[in-house]
């Protein structure tokens, strides 16, 4: 009988370790696609530019006379509803007495996913 | 063979052929187990993976539809691989007609709409996943019940400035010039064709705004998914089967989009 040669058992051990490592790596990789997609979706959904644009329009409208302001207000509401599918409304009032600002501006934005409300002074 | 303490070991019982047979039996049993249990499990895994991939693919298509409808993008195309089943477009004029939505307040509004469907059917997975009216829904093929995978964007908003409630209902129809179906690698091309915008406010609008959903009478019924969406997410009340009453709203906005699926 030939003697059992056990010099190379580490090869078998290495084989096991490598196969288990590959298995776990495969699990990690399969999860990563899901994470990437949901994160990308969340970024895509957030209407940052829409809100920034509405804010800028509202701030520039705050200098208008009350007649023109009503018109601009209706225009902004209808346009954002028809073009961007978002409900936008705002109110510009005189700042309370003693405040260092002239106007108080309230903005409401909602597109069904993101709702944004702001009260600010100008 | 001699052991360390000098006792002689008898190895006449050690046989090479018995050892070989033992090892060979182990190998055969191993192969048998893999063939009988491992391989079917692997196939099942593949089917499940196909199903999950298609669920994701349809969410990607839903995002394309969102871009086309809500973000004024005129045209979108996405390459995808349909595996384990087929992807079919049933257009709004498909006969016999598929499911429909009717929105009525009893007096000034009465809109009936056929959304059409983009539908993935997998015989292996016994699964149907569909995009209908901007929602992604899934259901088993031969069992009742359905589930909403990704919700559409119907919403109600109460403005804190004016205290007015507005309900926005987008109706998204999928159209095509011909009846199309595909499997394997393909490109889904979609283009916006027509849009229509209706806005009705009180006092013309009554408090009895009702949405009626008529499920597909022929094949796949997604009424459970819509019911869960209407009653749980939107908090509408179900007054009769597939009939939903909206809470009183000051303004109702119905936006109709017609998306042309150019190719699959």
């Amino acid at each position: 009988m030939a003697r059992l040669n056990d010099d190379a058992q580490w090869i078998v051990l290495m084989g096991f370790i490598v196969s288990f490592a590959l298995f776990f790596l495969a699990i990690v990789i399969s999860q990563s696609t899901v994470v990437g997609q949901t994160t990308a979706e969340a970024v895509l959904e957030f209407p940052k530019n829409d809100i920034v644009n509405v804010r800028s329009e509202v701030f520039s409208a705050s200098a208008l006379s009350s007649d023109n302001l009503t018109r601009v207000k209706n225009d902004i509401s209808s346009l954002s509803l028809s073009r961007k599918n978002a409900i936008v409304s705002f109110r510009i009032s005189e700042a309370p007495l003693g405040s260092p600002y002239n106007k108080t501006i309230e903005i409401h934005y909602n597109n069904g996913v993101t709702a944004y409300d702001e009260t600010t002074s100008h | 063979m001699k052991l360390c303490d000098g006792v002689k070991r008898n190895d006449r019982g050690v046989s090479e052929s018995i050892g070989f047979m033992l090892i060979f039996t182990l190998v055969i049993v191993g192969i048998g187990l893999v063939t009988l249990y491992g391989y079917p499990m692997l196939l099942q895994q593949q089917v499940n993976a196909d199903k999950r991939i298609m669920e994701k693919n349809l969410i990607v298509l839903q995002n394309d539809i969102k871009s086309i409808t809500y973000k004024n993008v005129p045209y979108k195309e996405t390459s995808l691989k349909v595996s384990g089943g087929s992807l079919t477009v049933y257009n709004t004029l498909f006969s016999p007609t598929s499911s429909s939505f009717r929105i009525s307040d009893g007096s000034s509004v009465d809109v009936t709409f056929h959304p059409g469907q983009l539908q993935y059917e997998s015989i292996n997975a016994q699964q149907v996943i569909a995009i209908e009216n901007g929602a992604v829904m899934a259901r088993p093929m031969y069992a009742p019940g359905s589930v909403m995978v990704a919700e559409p964007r119907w919403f109600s908003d109460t403005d804190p400035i004016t205290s007015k409630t507005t309900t926005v209902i987008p109706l998204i129809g999928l159209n095509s010039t011909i009846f199309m179906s595909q499997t394997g690698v393909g490109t889904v091309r979609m283009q916006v064709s027509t849009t229509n915008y209706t806005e009705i406010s009180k006092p013309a609008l009554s408090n009895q705004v009702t949405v009626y959903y008529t499920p597909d009478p022929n094949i796949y019924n997604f009424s459970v998914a819509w019911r869960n969406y209407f009653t749980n997410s939107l908090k509408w009340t179900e007054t009769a089967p597939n009939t939903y009453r909206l809470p009183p709203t000051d303004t109702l906005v119905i936006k109709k989009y017609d998306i042309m699926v150019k190719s699959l």
Side-chain angles (χ1 to χ4, degrees), chain B residues 21-56:
Chain B
M21 272 182 67
L22 280 174
I23 299 288
F24 189 67
T25 317
L26 277 177
V27 168
I28 292 295
V29 166
I31 292 174
L33 280 176
V34 166
T35 318
L36 279 176
Y37 295 102
Y39 189 60
M41 218 154 81
L42 216 68
L43 281 182
Q44 191 57 42
Q45 282 289 326
Q46 183 61 47
V47 167
N48 282 341
D50 281 348
K51 198 166 81 180
R52 275 186 44 203
I53 288 169
M54 273 319 285
E55 234 166 57
K56 269 191 247 161

Side-chain angles (χ1 to χ4, degrees), chain B residues 7-255:
Chain B
V7 182
K8 202 167 183 220
R9 207 170 79 166
N10 186 355
D11 56 1
R12 275 188 295 172
V14 176
S15 153
E16 202 171 321
S17 50
I18 289 178
F20 175 77
M21 272 182 67
L22 280 174
I23 299 288
F24 189 67
T25 317
L26 277 177
V27 168
I28 292 295
V29 166
I31 292 174
L33 280 176
V34 166
T35 318
L36 279 176
Y37 295 102
Y39 189 60
M41 218 154 81
L42 216 68
L43 281 182
Q44 191 57 42
Q45 282 289 326
Q46 183 61 47
V47 167
N48 282 341
D50 281 348
K51 198 166 81 180
R52 275 186 44 203
I53 288 169
M54 273 319 285
E55 234 166 57
K56 269 191 247 161
N57 275 344
L58 285 197
I59 288 176
V60 168
L61 289 180
Q62 187 205 26
N63 280 335
D64 280 1
I65 291 174
K66 276 185 193 162
S67 301
I68 289 174
T69 49
Y70 308 135
K71 294 179 187 164
N72 302 310
V73 177
Y75 175 81
K76 269 273 186 185
E77 65 176 44
T78 304
S79 292
L80 49 86
K81 187 182 168 208
V82 180
S83 41
S86 62
L87 186 71
T88 313
V89 60
Y90 294 95
N91 62 26
T92 54
L93 304 170
F94 183 70
S95 179
T97 50
S98 55
S99 52
S100 70
F101 290 86
R102 176 170 167 239
I103 300 153
S104 162
D105 77 331
S107 54
S108 49
V109 191
D110 198 336
V111 178
T112 305
F113 182 72
H114 293 278
Q117 252 184 24
L118 198 59
Q119 189 175 277
Y120 167 76
E121 273 178 284
S122 168
I123 300 283
N124 294 336
Q126 302 272 303
Q127 181 86 6
V128 181
I129 309 168
I131 296 183
E132 180 183 79
N133 204 0
V136 180
M137 292 169 300
R139 60 159 291 156
M141 211 172 240
Y142 300 116
S146 50
V147 66
M148 198 154 265
V149 179
E151 293 183 344
R153 206 187 275 184
W154 296 31
F155 69 102
S156 231
D157 168 74
T158 305
D159 188 340
I161 297 171
T162 54
S163 306
K164 292 251 163 79
T165 305
T166 310
T167 302
V168 180
I169 299 181
L171 297 172
I172 301 168
L174 290 170
N175 241 327
S176 64
T177 43
I178 45 164
F179 185 66
M180 286 185 290
S181 185
Q182 77 117 335
T183 183
V185 180
T187 307
V188 179
R189 296 188 173 85
M190 287 185 290
Q191 189 184 32
V192 66
S193 62
T194 56
T195 57
N196 182 316
Y197 179 93
T198 317
E199 184 177 336
I200 307 118
S201 294
K202 277 183 176 169
L205 187 73
S206 81
N207 270 342
Q208 312 285 315
V209 182
T210 311
V211 172
Y212 303 86
Y213 175 68
T214 314
D216 195 321
N218 303 298
I219 22 173
Y220 303 117
N221 184 326
F222 286 103
S223 57
V224 178
W226 282 109
R227 177 180 302 123
N228 286 336
Y229 176 63
F230 289 143
T231 56
N232 295 336
S233 298
L234 296 178
K235 311 276 179 220
W236 295 355
T237 44
E238 188 174 21
T239 50
N242 295 321
T243 307
Y244 307 91
R245 171 72 46 84
L246 275 74
T249 181
D250 295 294
T251 308
L252 178 70
V253 177
I254 298 170
K255 300 183 75 177

Side-chain angles (χ1 to χ4, degrees), chain A residues 1 7 38 44 49 51 53 64-65 71 73 78 80 93:
Chain A
M1 282 300 291
D7 285 351
T38 42
L44 265 173
N49 285 333
I51 293 174
N53 291 346
L64 293 171
S65 67
R71 255 178 239 143
K73 207 185 271 184
S78 325
S80 37
S93 48

